[in-house]
Amino acid sequence: MAKRVDHIGILVSNIDEAIRLYRDCFDAKIDKIETLPERGVKAAILSLGQGANLELLEPLPNSNMARVLEKRGEGLHHITFEVDNVDRELSHLSERGVELIDKKARPGFEGMVAFIHPKSIRGVLVELCQKA
Ligand code: ZN
């Protein structure tokens, strides 16, 4: 069961400009910024206070995410629910016929994560995360 919305993932073409925008317009604070070659992105977690976070994602050149950015442009990419146990939620969803992208939890930017196919969630890419 989802405990809360952990963060909203946003695809951007330039992470430094996007960070400045969210900082200047919404007073967001940078929690973490890292390059994640295995996910093909440079990612930043921005805190808006009271546990509300944004995850900005700038694709690395020639990555799958670069192709997504090229095709769809900047904007909302995914929404992330925090859960107690990602693998338990995956089997619960799978039993209900929900199509999974990840069959098992894997290490993510923050803790263990898994993605659910947007086809099964009304066009929304959903990430589950379990904090370490
Ligand atoms: Zn995310």
Side-chain angles (χ1 to χ4, degrees):
M1 191 186 293
K3 297 202 290 191
R4 64 185 190 101
V5 172
D6 181 74
H7 65 265
I8 293 168
I10 300 171
L11 195 57
V12 301
S13 58
N14 183 312
I15 203 163
D16 298 316
E17 285 176 12
I19 287 170
R20 273 196 296 279
L21 177 75
Y22 281 99
R23 191 193 54 207
D24 295 349
C25 295
F26 303 107
D27 205 23
K29 311 265 185 291
I30 306 173
D31 270 1
K32 190 174 171 183
I33 179 160
E34 233 170 86
T35 299
L36 308 166
E38 68 287 354
R39 280 184 66 194
V41 293
K42 190 170 177 187
I45 297 285
L46 303 187
S47 164
L48 295 164
Q50 300 191 328
N53 302 305
L54 300 176
E55 180 183 57
L56 303 179
L57 302 163
E58 177 191 318
L60 298 176
N62 305 313
S63 61
N64 279 335
M65 288 292 268
R67 282 183 284 280
V68 173
L69 178 65
E70 203 172 292
K71 206 168 126 192
R72 296 184 11 204
E74 293 186 301
L76 291 181
H77 182 261
H78 65 271
I79 180 165
T80 302
F81 297 132
E82 184 182 357
V83 298
D84 286 325
N85 184 312
V86 170
D87 284 321
R88 199 168 57 215
E89 296 304 324
L90 291 175
S91 62
H92 171 81
L93 292 169
S94 175
E95 280 164 18
R96 276 159 182 74
V98 171
E99 193 177 325
L100 310 176
I101 293 174
D102 297 304
K103 311 280 182 237
K104 271 175 68 66
R106 58 180 174 82
F109 195 22
E110 292 189 308
M112 297 300 281
V113 304
F115 282 90
I116 314 302
H117 204 290
K119 198 155 68 180
S120 290
I121 315 287
R122 304 277 168 171
V124 178
L125 177 59
V126 170
E127 177 183 32
L128 302 178
C129 86
Q130 174 184 339
K131 300 287 173 119

